[in-house]
Amino acid sequence: MSPAVATYAFLTAITVGGLLIRLPLMGDSLFGDELSTYFVVRDDFRGMLVQVAGPQEWTPPLYFAIAWLFSKLGSDPWLLRLPSLLAGVATIPLVYVLGSMTVGRRAGAVATVLVAFSPAMMFYSTEARAYALLAFLVICSTIVLLVAMQRESLGWWVLYALLLAASMYTHYASIFILIGQTAWAFAVSPGSRRRIVFSALLGALLWLPWLGQYMADARNPYVDVIGAIGPFSFEVFVDETVNWLVGDQAAVDPAPGTLAITLMASGVAIALIDLTVRSPKRVSRSTALILVLAFTPLVCETLVSIFGPRLLVPRNLIVSYPGLALAIGSLLVTRTRWVAAISVPLVLLGIVVSGVGATNEKNRRTDYAPLVRFIERNGEPGDPIVYLPFQSSGAWQALEVELEPGSPLYRAHPVLRLGVPTLEASLRIRRVGGPGQFYIVPSTKAPEVARTAVGAATNRRIFLVTIGRTVVQPGVTSPVNPRELEDFLERLPEGWTVIGSAGGPGWFGTDVYELRVPPDRAGRRG
């Protein structure tokens, strides 16, 4: 087999493997900020742009425009993830291309496997948000930059400018890495400096129409919502860096997660020891570029997080993961042969273990599909669903999307949210152009929800859907139950019972309880 055929076979196998390991994650329920994407793209194109430019989002519009187009192919939420899947899978062979142009084919091959099976890359390649598209565009821009520096053709420099603008129209997290790679080119290629400046200015000019919205987004008080949840600290820095290196460990079962970290850390440590013992060579221009791609976002986001809003989170670092993979690949394969023979298998085995572990049901997004099937199987028209959701930035919540708005099942069961704003209130505050922030809308209270649910339960049945570790049992209180749930259960009529339940997989876990309430409502408390 010729080297070219072997290369194509390897890239095909790894790319197909990366696609196949991502497919199971495509069917998970929409989660977190994906629900904001769902809400935004349900509008017409102009309305979608208004929502993105308004307080609903502080992410640029390119991903939403592409997702809006894909949403016209059907109503299934997985279509919103399809642009990310395509971009994420396409990134796999492009990492090899960039590696062969910089740190060598062997390092590129190692990096290709890392990108294909990284839990972080898998997750963001199956999320209806902009991060996988951003990583793809940055890889493309770097490859085009290298070609432009070699050929000095105006067309390649214009294409580089277009990719710079497209990256900035995808996510603001691109700014650090784009500045880094452009500065690297300016430093190492004096003969191309005029063209580099031309491309940077053209890219900035193309992005100029969005500058005013960027300034508005930067002033949005909810930009620092992550900092409010968990202020930046050294411990946060360590945790987020580890999550970036091996995947979000909050979503990885301890067993494969620990094994993966041990294997990868051992392989890298062996290579680093060898690097220390052997006097390191002078860093080449190509290696410097890879280091810029790998670590510029980490350094810049850390500095901003120290002195301003907290930006250091794995999703903002995902743009640099391809560069990190190439840096690791270069470290492993440029060592002495026996060191590489030990370190490379350890690291690759660790990333495969971590990737396979990320497909385990309990390591994936919270899934409401089994709960919906339980309700469909056991319920009758008119049975209310009381829903304790995981709050999101979208007007719709995950269970409501899983029920398929407009479907007979959705119309048959009134959905009553517990402890968060109603769907009507969430939609109304956006429609009138108000602050648009989900968390400031008045929340539904347990007494009102209990009263409405019991009154609507013409079949004497209520379905209660919870998230996380909860205990639903008459007369039993539990410290793991949210106050709203405890209050709701106390407001039900005397004699209510649990006659059935089912659970759903995912990080937090979901449960549905079929409650029977007595026909005599006079005993209802409160």
Side-chain angles (χ1 to χ4, degrees), residues 147-377:
V147 174
M149 291 170 62
Q150 293 173 353
R151 301 187 180 183
E152 292 295 346
S153 169
L154 179 62
W156 286 103
W157 289 109
V158 170
L159 179 57
Y160 179 60
L162 293 174
L163 289 168
L164 290 179
S167 299
M168 283 298 294
Y169 273 112
T170 301
H171 201 282
Y172 300 133
S174 63
I175 184 64
F176 302 125
I177 202 167
L178 295 178
I179 291 176
Q181 72 179 24
T182 304
W184 169 87
F186 190 87
V188 304
S189 183
S192 302
R193 285 176 178 173
R194 289 185 179 181
R195 294 178 177 86
I196 294 169
V197 172
F198 162 77
S199 295
L201 291 177
L202 178 57
L205 182 64
L206 293 172
W207 187 72
L208 190 60
W210 194 256
L211 178 60
Q213 183 56 45
Y214 165 74
M215 300 300 292
D217 289 340
R219 293 190 299 268
N220 192 314
Y222 281 83
V223 168
D224 198 28
V225 66
I226 297 175
I229 296 173
F232 186 75
S233 64
F234 178 75
E235 182 180 357
V236 166
F237 170 80
V238 173
D239 288 343
E240 302 296 34
T241 303
V242 170
N243 290 343
W244 168 57
L245 291 170
V246 295
D248 188 353
Q249 293 303 305
V252 176
D253 180 64
T258 302
L259 176 60
I261 292 175
T262 302
L263 290 170
M264 295 180 67
S266 299
V268 171
I270 291 171
L272 285 174
I273 292 172
D274 182 63
L275 177 65
T276 303
V277 173
R278 296 164 57 88
S279 57
K281 298 178 180 179
R282 178 175 174 270
V283 176
S284 66
R285 299 193 323 174
S286 297
T287 301
L289 172 61
I290 297 306
L291 294 176
V292 166
L293 297 178
F295 295 106
T296 299
L298 175 65
V299 173
C300 294
E301 290 175 20
T302 299
L303 291 175
V304 173
S305 299
I306 292 173
F307 299 104
R310 179 181 161 190
L311 297 184
L312 186 66
V313 288
R315 64 171 179 255
N316 288 340
L317 290 174
I318 199 63
V319 64
S320 62
Y321 192 87
L324 174 68
L326 286 167
I328 294 174
S330 178
L331 171 68
L332 299 179
V333 304
T334 55
R335 309 279 59 84
T336 54
R337 183 171 299 180
W338 71 267
V339 171
I342 297 174
S343 59
V344 170
L346 284 174
V347 171
L348 295 188
L349 179 59
I351 201 68
V352 171
V353 168
S354 188
V356 172
T359 65
N360 187 290
E361 285 188 339
K362 60 183 174 182
N363 296 332
R364 287 156 51 180
R365 299 173 185 88
T366 303
D367 192 6
Y368 287 91
L371 280 58
V372 171
R373 290 193 292 268
F374 179 87
I375 294 172
E376 187 174 24
R377 184 170 59 251

Side-chain angles (χ1 to χ4, degrees), residues 33-113:
D33 288 344
E34 288 186 303
L35 293 161
S36 179
T37 303
Y38 177 86
F39 168 71
V40 166
V41 302
R42 283 172 59 87
D43 214 329
D44 57 32
F45 190 79
R46 181 180 179 277
M48 178 270 296
L49 291 178
V50 170
Q51 292 285 357
V52 173
Q56 171 62 33
E57 281 287 347
W58 48 89
T59 301
L62 183 57
Y63 181 86
F64 298 101
I66 297 173
W68 182 88
L69 291 173
F70 275 79
S71 72
K72 303 307 147 188
L73 300 176
S75 59
D76 198 308
W78 74 267
L79 287 167
L80 300 183
R81 292 173 171 157
L82 194 52
S84 291
L85 179 67
L86 297 176
V89 172
T91 299
I92 297 172
L94 288 180
V95 168
Y96 178 84
V97 173
L98 179 58
S100 66
M101 298 173 71
T102 53
V103 290
R105 294 181 179 179
R106 291 192 301 160
V110 172
T112 301
V113 178

Side-chain angles (χ1 to χ4, degrees), residues 18-27 85 126:
L19 170 63
L20 294 178
I21 202 170
R22 285 160 170 75
L23 289 180
L25 281 64
M26 290 288 287
L85 179 67
T126 56

Side-chain angles (χ1 to χ4, degrees), residues 436-455:
Q437 301 303 334
F438 182 87
Y439 303 99
I440 68 171
V441 185
S443 299
T444 53
K445 301 301 182 183
E448 175 189 352
V449 174
R451 185 164 52 250
T452 304
V454 172

